[in-house]
Amino acid sequence: MLRIGICDDNASARLALRAALERALERQRAQGRFFEFSSGEGLLGWLQKHLGELDLVFLDMEMGALDGMETARRLRQTDENLHLVFVTGYSEHVFDGYAVGALGYLIKPPTPEQLDDVLSRCTAALLGSGERVFVCRSGDTLYRVPRQRILYFSSDRRQVTCVTPQRSYTFYGKLDEVEREVGGGFIRIHQRYLVHAQAVERVEGGQVFLANELALPISRANRAAALAALTRAALED
């Protein structure tokens, strides 16, 4: 399922684009979940609390205080993997999207063929990013978390928490299964902790220290293997 954001200060334009996208999804026999925003400020504020909950955002170029391009720049600072598509009534900005790695630039109203192409390329890009993201589900929400952003995983009974600097994602699962899935680059330091080697700043007194002096324990059972793996990771960097 594609999580699609539509950001436009014109309610009629949002409605029309959503209807067109729903038809495009039907043609591709795909499903989508939509989130609508009337301003760039609203989108950015929402994303701060819902990081990882959008795959694709359609941005109107001509909005109020915060136009589509500035909104896109700020989105890139928050989520570098979010796919962006500009929608506008004017053609003079057609090359501006390259500065923020936009997936497309559509003139209103976009044609069915253009929307089909954007959705197909977004889906292909998401499938191709499988090795760069960790996918987990919490309730009805599917999250795609960039692996480079993950600090560590922790487990508590049947729940696993994926911790990033911005937020945490808790889901049902087993840490052993997560360890097999993420593979190299993540090191088991404890029965309850799986740490991203690149996030470790130092090892001291039976603990690994991450950013902001965040400390995680190294268990006796994992100590030798964990220290060897962390040493190899440091040398490879």
Side-chain angles (χ1 to χ4, degrees):
M1 176 183 288
L2 281 176
R3 289 90 51 84
I4 301 172
I6 299 175
C7 186
D8 195 313
D9 56 4
N10 185 302
S12 297
R14 293 197 304 271
L15 181 62
L17 180 56
R18 175 169 179 162
L21 286 167
E22 287 174 342
R23 291 192 293 272
L25 288 168
E26 288 179 3
R27 288 192 295 272
Q28 298 188 4
R29 297 182 180 180
Q31 293 182 321
R33 184 179 180 187
F34 292 91
F35 302 81
E36 296 185 22
F37 307 91
S38 59
S39 68
E41 296 92 336
L43 169 58
L44 290 165
W46 182 88
L47 197 63
Q48 286 182 348
K49 298 179 181 179
H50 300 270
L51 191 63
E53 295 185 33
L54 286 176
D55 300 312
L56 173 65
V57 175
F58 288 83
L59 283 169
D60 180 36
M61 286 291 289
E62 298 80 32
M63 291 190 288
L66 202 63
D67 65 16
M69 181 54 64
E70 183 57 30
T71 300
R73 291 193 181 100
R74 298 189 189 185
L75 285 173
R76 274 286 169 261
Q77 295 173 1
T78 303
D79 189 344
E80 66 274 13
N81 294 294
L82 186 60
H83 295 287
L84 305 176
V85 176
F86 290 111
V87 185
T88 182
Y90 305 93
S91 60
E92 58 263 29
H93 304 300
V94 67
F95 296 109
D96 293 350
Y98 292 112
V100 291
L103 191 66
Y105 191 102
L106 308 179
I107 303 296
K108 294 181 179 179
T111 67
E113 292 76 17
Q114 289 173 324
L115 293 178
D116 287 345
D117 176 65
V118 164
L119 293 180
S120 294
R121 287 191 288 120
C122 180
T123 300
L126 290 171
L127 290 173
S129 68
E131 295 183 356
R132 302 193 301 274
V133 299
F134 176 77
V135 180
C136 60
R137 182 181 295 277
S138 180
D140 294 331
T141 304
L142 184 71
Y143 299 96
R144 293 185 176 92
V145 186
R147 295 192 184 193
Q148 64 184 17
R149 189 185 295 155
I150 297 172
L151 298 177
Y152 67 94
F153 293 92
S154 67
S155 66
D156 184 10
R157 298 173 186 173
R158 295 181 57 220
Q159 289 190 323
V160 176
T161 299
C162 172
V163 180
T164 76
Q166 293 79 18
R167 64 171 293 184
S168 299
Y169 307 83
T170 299
F171 56 96
Y172 286 102
K174 296 180 179 179
L175 198 58
D176 290 344
E177 295 174 354
V178 173
E179 183 178 8
R180 287 193 292 270
E181 181 177 345
V182 296
F186 288 82
I187 297 169
R188 191 69 170 263
I189 61 170
H190 190 280
Q191 183 179 0
R192 293 183 54 202
Y193 296 104
L194 178 67
V195 68
H196 192 176
Q198 293 182 351
V200 175
E201 294 188 348
R202 71 181 191 278
V203 179
E204 184 179 312
Q207 294 178 309
V208 296
F209 288 82
L210 312 182
N212 299 320
E213 291 299 298
L214 173 64
L216 299 175
I218 304 177
S219 69
R220 291 184 179 180
N222 292 88
R223 183 176 180 81
L227 290 177
L230 288 168
T231 300
R232 288 196 300 271
L235 293 174
E236 290 173 358
D237 287 345

mmCIF file with all atom_site columns, all heavy atoms in Angstrom, residues 5 13 26 29 35-36 50 63 66 73 77 131 138 141 151 154 189 200 206 209:
data_model
loop_
_atom_site.group_PDB
_atom_site.id
_atom_site.type_symbol
_atom_site.label_atom_id
_atom_site.label_alt_id
_atom_site.label_comp_id
_atom_site.label_asym_id
_atom_site.label_entity_id
_atom_site.label_seq_id
_atom_site.pdbx_PDB_ins_code
_atom_site.Cartn_x
_atom_site.Cartn_y
_atom_site.Cartn_z
_atom_site.occupancy
_atom_site.B_iso_or_equiv
_atom_site.pdbx_formal_charge
_atom_site.auth_seq_id
_atom_site.auth_comp_id
_atom_site.auth_asym_id
_atom_site.auth_atom_id
_atom_site.pdbx_PDB_model_num
ATOM 1   N N   . GLY A 1 5   ? 0.719   11.591 0.367   1.00 0.00 ? 5   GLY A N   1
ATOM 2   C CA  . GLY A 1 5   ? 0.352   12.890 0.890   1.00 0.00 ? 5   GLY A CA  1
ATOM 3   C C   . GLY A 1 5   ? 0.033   13.853 -0.249  1.00 0.00 ? 5   GLY A C   1
ATOM 4   O O   . GLY A 1 5   ? 0.699   13.842 -1.284  1.00 0.00 ? 5   GLY A O   1
ATOM 5   N N   . ALA A 1 13  ? -8.552  21.518 -5.504  1.00 0.00 ? 13  ALA A N   1
ATOM 6   C CA  . ALA A 1 13  ? -7.408  20.905 -6.188  1.00 0.00 ? 13  ALA A CA  1
ATOM 7   C C   . ALA A 1 13  ? -7.002  19.612 -5.496  1.00 0.00 ? 13  ALA A C   1
ATOM 8   O O   . ALA A 1 13  ? -6.666  18.625 -6.149  1.00 0.00 ? 13  ALA A O   1
ATOM 9   C CB  . ALA A 1 13  ? -6.244  21.885 -6.235  1.00 0.00 ? 13  ALA A CB  1
ATOM 10  N N   . GLU A 1 26  ? -6.458  2.193  -9.052  1.00 0.00 ? 26  GLU A N   1
ATOM 11  C CA  . GLU A 1 26  ? -7.360  1.147  -9.532  1.00 0.00 ? 26  GLU A CA  1
ATOM 12  C C   . GLU A 1 26  ? -6.842  0.528  -10.818 1.00 0.00 ? 26  GLU A C   1
ATOM 13  O O   . GLU A 1 26  ? -6.897  -0.692 -11.008 1.00 0.00 ? 26  GLU A O   1
ATOM 14  C CB  . GLU A 1 26  ? -8.754  1.724  -9.754  1.00 0.00 ? 26  GLU A CB  1
ATOM 15  C CG  . GLU A 1 26  ? -9.508  2.040  -8.463  1.00 0.00 ? 26  GLU A CG  1
ATOM 16  C CD  . GLU A 1 26  ? -10.870 2.641  -8.735  1.00 0.00 ? 26  GLU A CD  1
ATOM 17  O OE1 . GLU A 1 26  ? -11.233 2.757  -9.931  1.00 0.00 ? 26  GLU A OE1 1
ATOM 18  O OE2 . GLU A 1 26  ? -11.571 2.994  -7.769  1.00 0.00 ? 26  GLU A OE2 1
ATOM 19  N N   . ARG A 1 29  ? -4.230  -1.802 -10.008 1.00 0.00 ? 29  ARG A N   1
ATOM 20  C CA  . ARG A 1 29  ? -4.645  -2.814 -9.035  1.00 0.00 ? 29  ARG A CA  1
ATOM 21  C C   . ARG A 1 29  ? -3.823  -2.708 -7.751  1.00 0.00 ? 29  ARG A C   1
ATOM 22  O O   . ARG A 1 29  ? -3.357  -3.706 -7.177  1.00 0.00 ? 29  ARG A O   1
ATOM 23  C CB  . ARG A 1 29  ? -4.524  -4.212 -9.630  1.00 0.00 ? 29  ARG A CB  1
ATOM 24  C CG  . ARG A 1 29  ? -5.449  -4.425 -10.830 1.00 0.00 ? 29  ARG A CG  1
ATOM 25  C CD  . ARG A 1 29  ? -5.329  -5.832 -11.369 1.00 0.00 ? 29  ARG A CD  1
ATOM 26  N NE  . ARG A 1 29  ? -6.214  -6.027 -12.508 1.00 0.00 ? 29  ARG A NE  1
ATOM 27  C CZ  . ARG A 1 29  ? -6.319  -7.166 -13.196 1.00 0.00 ? 29  ARG A CZ  1
ATOM 28  N NH1 . ARG A 1 29  ? -5.577  -8.217 -12.845 1.00 0.00 ? 29  ARG A NH1 1
ATOM 29  N NH2 . ARG A 1 29  ? -7.147  -7.269 -14.222 1.00 0.00 ? 29  ARG A NH2 1
ATOM 30  N N   . PHE A 1 35  ? -3.329  11.206 2.769   1.00 0.00 ? 35  PHE A N   1
ATOM 31  C CA  . PHE A 1 35  ? -3.230  12.203 3.831   1.00 0.00 ? 35  PHE A CA  1
ATOM 32  C C   . PHE A 1 35  ? -3.221  13.572 3.144   1.00 0.00 ? 35  PHE A C   1
ATOM 33  O O   . PHE A 1 35  ? -2.402  13.808 2.249   1.00 0.00 ? 35  PHE A O   1
ATOM 34  C CB  . PHE A 1 35  ? -1.940  12.021 4.632   1.00 0.00 ? 35  PHE A CB  1
ATOM 35  C CG  . PHE A 1 35  ? -1.805  10.658 5.266   1.00 0.00 ? 35  PHE A CG  1
ATOM 36  C CD1 . PHE A 1 35  ? -1.354  9.574  4.509   1.00 0.00 ? 35  PHE A CD1 1
ATOM 37  C CD2 . PHE A 1 35  ? -2.129  10.457 6.593   1.00 0.00 ? 35  PHE A CD2 1
ATOM 38  C CE1 . PHE A 1 35  ? -1.227  8.317  5.086   1.00 0.00 ? 35  PHE A CE1 1
ATOM 39  C CE2 . PHE A 1 35  ? -2.000  9.201  7.173   1.00 0.00 ? 35  PHE A CE2 1
ATOM 40  C CZ  . PHE A 1 35  ? -1.552  8.134  6.426   1.00 0.00 ? 35  PHE A CZ  1
ATOM 41  N N   . GLU A 1 36  ? -4.096  14.458 3.560   1.00 0.00 ? 36  GLU A N   1
ATOM 42  C CA  . GLU A 1 36  ? -4.223  15.759 2.895   1.00 0.00 ? 36  GLU A CA  1
ATOM 43  C C   . GLU A 1 36  ? -3.772  16.879 3.822   1.00 0.00 ? 36  GLU A C   1
ATOM 44  O O   . GLU A 1 36  ? -4.052  16.870 5.030   1.00 0.00 ? 36  GLU A O   1
ATOM 45  C CB  . GLU A 1 36  ? -5.669  15.987 2.450   1.00 0.00 ? 36  GLU A CB  1
ATOM 46  C CG  . GLU A 1 36  ? -6.130  14.979 1.404   1.00 0.00 ? 36  GLU A CG  1
ATOM 47  C CD  . GLU A 1 36  ? -7.526  15.296 0.879   1.00 0.00 ? 36  GLU A CD  1
ATOM 48  O OE1 . GLU A 1 36  ? -7.949  16.469 0.990   1.00 0.00 ? 36  GLU A OE1 1
ATOM 49  O OE2 . GLU A 1 36  ? -8.190  14.375 0.374   1.00 0.00 ? 36  GLU A OE2 1
ATOM 50  N N   . HIS A 1 50  ? 5.057   11.949 12.718  1.00 0.00 ? 50  HIS A N   1
ATOM 51  C CA  . HIS A 1 50  ? 4.698   10.751 11.961  1.00 0.00 ? 50  HIS A CA  1
ATOM 52  C C   . HIS A 1 50  ? 5.788   10.387 10.946  1.00 0.00 ? 50  HIS A C   1
ATOM 53  O O   . HIS A 1 50  ? 5.484   9.979  9.821   1.00 0.00 ? 50  HIS A O   1
ATOM 54  C CB  . HIS A 1 50  ? 3.365   10.969 11.243  1.00 0.00 ? 50  HIS A CB  1
ATOM 55  C CG  . HIS A 1 50  ? 2.216   11.259 12.166  1.00 0.00 ? 50  HIS A CG  1
ATOM 56  N ND1 . HIS A 1 50  ? 1.425   10.271 12.705  1.00 0.00 ? 50  HIS A ND1 1
ATOM 57  C CD2 . HIS A 1 50  ? 1.742   12.430 12.650  1.00 0.00 ? 50  HIS A CD2 1
ATOM 58  C CE1 . HIS A 1 50  ? 0.501   10.814 13.478  1.00 0.00 ? 50  HIS A CE1 1
ATOM 59  N NE2 . HIS A 1 50  ? 0.672   12.122 13.468  1.00 0.00 ? 50  HIS A NE2 1
ATOM 60  N N   . MET A 1 63  ? 1.896   27.935 -3.012  1.00 0.00 ? 63  MET A N   1
ATOM 61  C CA  . MET A 1 63  ? 1.107   27.962 -1.798  1.00 0.00 ? 63  MET A CA  1
ATOM 62  C C   . MET A 1 63  ? 1.379   29.266 -1.065  1.00 0.00 ? 63  MET A C   1
ATOM 63  O O   . MET A 1 63  ? 2.018   30.167 -1.586  1.00 0.00 ? 63  MET A O   1
ATOM 64  C CB  . MET A 1 63  ? 1.418   26.738 -0.926  1.00 0.00 ? 63  MET A CB  1
ATOM 65  C CG  . MET A 1 63  ? 0.933   25.425 -1.523  1.00 0.00 ? 63  MET A CG  1
ATOM 66  S SD  . MET A 1 63  ? 1.044   24.028 -0.376  1.00 0.00 ? 63  MET A SD  1
ATOM 67  C CE  . MET A 1 63  ? 2.822   23.776 -0.318  1.00 0.00 ? 63  MET A CE  1
ATOM 68  N N   . LEU A 1 66  ? 4.734   29.380 2.815   1.00 0.00 ? 66  LEU A N   1
ATOM 69  C CA  . LEU A 1 66  ? 5.746   28.363 2.525   1.00 0.00 ? 66  LEU A CA  1
ATOM 70  C C   . LEU A 1 66  ? 5.365   27.673 1.220   1.00 0.00 ? 66  LEU A C   1
ATOM 71  O O   . LEU A 1 66  ? 4.428   26.881 1.179   1.00 0.00 ? 66  LEU A O   1
ATOM 72  C CB  . LEU A 1 66  ? 5.794   27.347 3.673   1.00 0.00 ? 66  LEU A CB  1
ATOM 73  C CG  . LEU A 1 66  ? 7.088   26.534 3.845   1.00 0.00 ? 66  LEU A CG  1
ATOM 74  C CD1 . LEU A 1 66  ? 8.249   27.452 4.169   1.00 0.00 ? 66  LEU A CD1 1
ATOM 75  C CD2 . LEU A 1 66  ? 6.912   25.503 4.946   1.00 0.00 ? 66  LEU A CD2 1
ATOM 76  N N   . ARG A 1 73  ? 12.437  21.392 0.375   1.00 0.00 ? 73  ARG A N   1
ATOM 77  C CA  . ARG A 1 73  ? 13.788  21.479 0.963   1.00 0.00 ? 73  ARG A CA  1
ATOM 78  C C   . ARG A 1 73  ? 13.761  21.054 2.428   1.00 0.00 ? 73  ARG A C   1
ATOM 79  O O   . ARG A 1 73  ? 14.644  20.336 2.904   1.00 0.00 ? 73  ARG A O   1
ATOM 80  C CB  . ARG A 1 73  ? 14.329  22.901 0.828   1.00 0.00 ? 73  ARG A CB  1
ATOM 81  C CG  . ARG A 1 73  ? 14.642  23.328 -0.608  1.00 0.00 ? 73  ARG A CG  1
ATOM 82  C CD  . ARG A 1 73  ? 15.452  24.601 -0.631  1.00 0.00 ? 73  ARG A CD  1
ATOM 83  N NE  . ARG A 1 73  ? 15.732  25.031 -1.996  1.00 0.00 ? 73  ARG A NE  1
ATOM 84  C CZ  . ARG A 1 73  ? 15.072  25.968 -2.636  1.00 0.00 ? 73  ARG A CZ  1
ATOM 85  N NH1 . ARG A 1 73  ? 14.053  26.594 -2.029  1.00 0.00 ? 73  ARG A NH1 1
ATOM 86  N NH2 . ARG A 1 73  ? 15.377  26.301 -3.868  1.00 0.00 ? 73  ARG A NH2 1
ATOM 87  N N   . GLN A 1 77  ? 15.380  17.598 4.568   1.00 0.00 ? 77  GLN A N   1
ATOM 88  C CA  . GLN A 1 77  ? 16.177  17.614 5.786   1.00 0.00 ? 77  GLN A CA  1
ATOM 89  C C   . GLN A 1 77  ? 15.633  16.632 6.823   1.00 0.00 ? 77  GLN A C   1
ATOM 90  O O   . GLN A 1 77  ? 16.362  16.123 7.659   1.00 0.00 ? 77  GLN A O   1
ATOM 91  C CB  . GLN A 1 77  ? 16.189  19.027 6.378   1.00 0.00 ? 77  GLN A CB  1
ATOM 92  C CG  . GLN A 1 77  ? 16.884  20.051 5.495   1.00 0.00 ? 77  GLN A CG  1
ATOM 93  C CD  . GLN A 1 77  ? 16.731  21.470 6.012   1.00 0.00 ? 77  GLN A CD  1
ATOM 94  O OE1 . GLN A 1 77  ? 16.116  21.711 7.049   1.00 0.00 ? 77  GLN A OE1 1
ATOM 95  N NE2 . GLN A 1 77  ? 17.279  22.431 5.294   1.00 0.00 ? 77  GLN A NE2 1
ATOM 96  N N   . GLU A 1 131 ? 16.974  -2.993 0.667   1.00 0.00 ? 131 GLU A N   1
ATOM 97  C CA  . GLU A 1 131 ? 18.186  -3.189 1.432   1.00 0.00 ? 131 GLU A CA  1
ATOM 98  C C   . GLU A 1 131 ? 18.569  -1.946 2.217   1.00 0.00 ? 131 GLU A C   1
ATOM 99  O O   . GLU A 1 131 ? 19.429  -2.008 3.094   1.00 0.00 ? 131 GLU A O   1
ATOM 100 C CB  . GLU A 1 131 ? 19.340  -3.584 0.505   1.00 0.00 ? 131 GLU A CB  1
ATOM 101 C CG  . GLU A 1 131 ? 19.145  -4.943 -0.170  1.00 0.00 ? 131 GLU A CG  1
ATOM 102 C CD  . GLU A 1 131 ? 20.333  -5.335 -1.007  1.00 0.00 ? 131 GLU A CD  1
ATOM 103 O OE1 . GLU A 1 131 ? 21.266  -4.507 -1.114  1.00 0.00 ? 131 GLU A OE1 1
ATOM 104 O OE2 . GLU A 1 131 ? 20.329  -6.441 -1.559  1.00 0.00 ? 131 GLU A OE2 1
ATOM 105 N N   . SER A 1 138 ? 3.244   -1.397 12.883  1.00 0.00 ? 138 SER A N   1
ATOM 106 C CA  . SER A 1 138 ? 2.712   -1.157 14.215  1.00 0.00 ? 138 SER A CA  1
ATOM 107 C C   . SER A 1 138 ? 1.235   -0.833 14.070  1.00 0.00 ? 138 SER A C   1
ATOM 108 O O   . SER A 1 138 ? 0.867   0.207  13.513  1.00 0.00 ? 138 SER A O   1
ATOM 109 C CB  . SER A 1 138 ? 3.444   0.004  14.904  1.00 0.00 ? 138 SER A CB  1
ATOM 110 O OG  . SER A 1 138 ? 2.920   0.237  16.195  1.00 0.00 ? 138 SER A OG  1
ATOM 111 N N   . THR A 1 141 ? -0.324  0.710  10.752  1.00 0.00 ? 141 THR A N   1
ATOM 112 C CA  . THR A 1 141 ? 0.631   1.568  10.066  1.00 0.00 ? 141 THR A CA  1
ATOM 113 C C   . THR A 1 141 ? 1.896   0.809  9.701   1.00 0.00 ? 141 THR A C   1
ATOM 114 O O   . THR A 1 141 ? 2.484   0.113  10.542  1.00 0.00 ? 141 THR A O   1
ATOM 115 C CB  . THR A 1 141 ? 1.008   2.778  10.934  1.00 0.00 ? 141 THR A CB  1
ATOM 116 O OG1 . THR A 1 141 ? -0.178  3.487  11.300  1.00 0.00 ? 141 THR A OG1 1
ATOM 117 C CG2 . THR A 1 141 ? 1.935   3.726  10.181  1.00 0.00 ? 141 THR A CG2 1
ATOM 118 N N   . LEU A 1 151 ? 19.603  3.643  15.354  1.00 0.00 ? 151 LEU A N   1
ATOM 119 C CA  . LEU A 1 151 ? 20.636  3.565  16.389  1.00 0.00 ? 151 LEU A CA  1
ATOM 120 C C   . LEU A 1 151 ? 20.736  2.146  16.942  1.00 0.00 ? 151 LEU A C   1
ATOM 121 O O   . LEU A 1 151 ? 21.828  1.581  17.013  1.00 0.00 ? 151 LEU A O   1
ATOM 122 C CB  . LEU A 1 151 ? 20.325  4.537  17.527  1.00 0.00 ? 151 LEU A CB  1
ATOM 123 C CG  . LEU A 1 151 ? 20.287  6.024  17.166  1.00 0.00 ? 151 LEU A CG  1
ATOM 124 C CD1 . LEU A 1 151 ? 19.882  6.845  18.383  1.00 0.00 ? 151 LEU A CD1 1
ATOM 125 C CD2 . LEU A 1 151 ? 21.639  6.487  16.639  1.00 0.00 ? 151 LEU A CD2 1
ATOM 126 N N   . SER A 1 154 ? 15.750  -2.740 20.546  1.00 0.00 ? 154 SER A N   1
ATOM 127 C CA  . SER A 1 154 ? 15.648  -3.347 21.870  1.00 0.00 ? 154 SER A CA  1
ATOM 128 C C   . SER A 1 154 ? 14.411  -4.225 21.913  1.00 0.00 ? 154 SER A C   1
ATOM 129 O O   . SER A 1 154 ? 13.442  -3.989 21.182  1.00 0.00 ? 154 SER A O   1
ATOM 130 C CB  . SER A 1 154 ? 15.561  -2.267 22.953  1.00 0.00 ? 154 SER A CB  1
ATOM 131 O OG  . SER A 1 154 ? 14.343  -1.543 22.856  1.00 0.00 ? 154 SER A OG  1
ATOM 132 N N   . ILE A 1 189 ? 24.721  -7.112 21.175  1.00 0.00 ? 189 ILE A N   1
ATOM 133 C CA  . ILE A 1 189 ? 25.561  -6.846 22.340  1.00 0.00 ? 189 ILE A CA  1
ATOM 134 C C   . ILE A 1 189 ? 24.927  -7.386 23.628  1.00 0.00 ? 189 ILE A C   1
ATOM 135 O O   . ILE A 1 189 ? 25.572  -7.400 24.673  1.00 0.00 ? 189 ILE A O   1
ATOM 136 C CB  . ILE A 1 189 ? 25.831  -5.333 22.507  1.00 0.00 ? 189 ILE A CB  1
ATOM 137 C CG1 . ILE A 1 189 ? 24.512  -4.575 22.720  1.00 0.00 ? 189 ILE A CG1 1
ATOM 138 C CG2 . ILE A 1 189 ? 26.602  -4.782 21.316  1.00 0.00 ? 189 ILE A CG2 1
ATOM 139 C CD1 . ILE A 1 189 ? 24.706  -3.118 23.121  1.00 0.00 ? 189 ILE A CD1 1
ATOM 140 N N   . VAL A 1 200 ? 27.837  3.581  17.137  1.00 0.00 ? 200 VAL A N   1
ATOM 141 C CA  . VAL A 1 200 ? 28.618  3.464  18.369  1.00 0.00 ? 200 VAL A CA  1
ATOM 142 C C   . VAL A 1 200 ? 29.762  4.468  18.355  1.00 0.00 ? 200 VAL A C   1
ATOM 143 O O   . VAL A 1 200 ? 30.575  4.489  17.437  1.00 0.00 ? 200 VAL A O   1
ATOM 144 C CB  . VAL A 1 200 ? 29.164  2.030  18.531  1.00 0.00 ? 200 VAL A CB  1
ATOM 145 C CG1 . VAL A 1 200 ? 30.076  1.944  19.754  1.00 0.00 ? 200 VAL A CG1 1
ATOM 146 C CG2 . VAL A 1 200 ? 28.013  1.035  18.655  1.00 0.00 ? 200 VAL A CG2 1
ATOM 147 N N   . GLY A 1 206 ? 32.086  -1.997 29.921  1.00 0.00 ? 206 GLY A N   1
ATOM 148 C CA  . GLY A 1 206 ? 30.987  -2.931 29.718  1.00 0.00 ? 206 GLY A CA  1
ATOM 149 C C   . GLY A 1 206 ? 29.751  -2.301 29.102  1.00 0.00 ? 206 GLY A C   1
ATOM 150 O O   . GLY A 1 206 ? 28.654  -2.874 29.182  1.00 0.00 ? 206 GLY A O   1
ATOM 151 N N   . PHE A 1 209 ? 28.496  3.343  24.001  1.00 0.00 ? 209 PHE A N   1
ATOM 152 C CA  . PHE A 1 209 ? 27.938  4.681  24.077  1.00 0.00 ? 209 PHE A CA  1
ATOM 153 C C   . PHE A 1 209 ? 27.603  5.182  22.675  1.00 0.00 ? 209 PHE A C   1
ATOM 154 O O   . PHE A 1 209 ? 28.459  5.142  21.770  1.00 0.00 ? 209 PHE A O   1
ATOM 155 C CB  . PHE A 1 209 ? 28.903  5.645  24.765  1.00 0.00 ? 209 PHE A CB  1
ATOM 156 C CG  . PHE A 1 209 ? 29.026  5.419  26.247  1.00 0.00 ? 209 PHE A CG  1
ATOM 157 C CD1 . PHE A 1 209 ? 29.874  4.435  26.734  1.00 0.00 ? 209 PHE A CD1 1
ATOM 158 C CD2 . PHE A 1 209 ? 28.279  6.164  27.143  1.00 0.00 ? 209 PHE A CD2 1
ATOM 159 C CE1 . PHE A 1 209 ? 29.992  4.209  28.103  1.00 0.00 ? 209 PHE A CE1 1
ATOM 160 C CE2 . PHE A 1 209 ? 28.378  5.945  28.514  1.00 0.00 ? 209 PHE A CE2 1
ATOM 161 C CZ  . PHE A 1 209 ? 29.237  4.963  28.996  1.00 0.00 ? 209 PHE A CZ  1
#
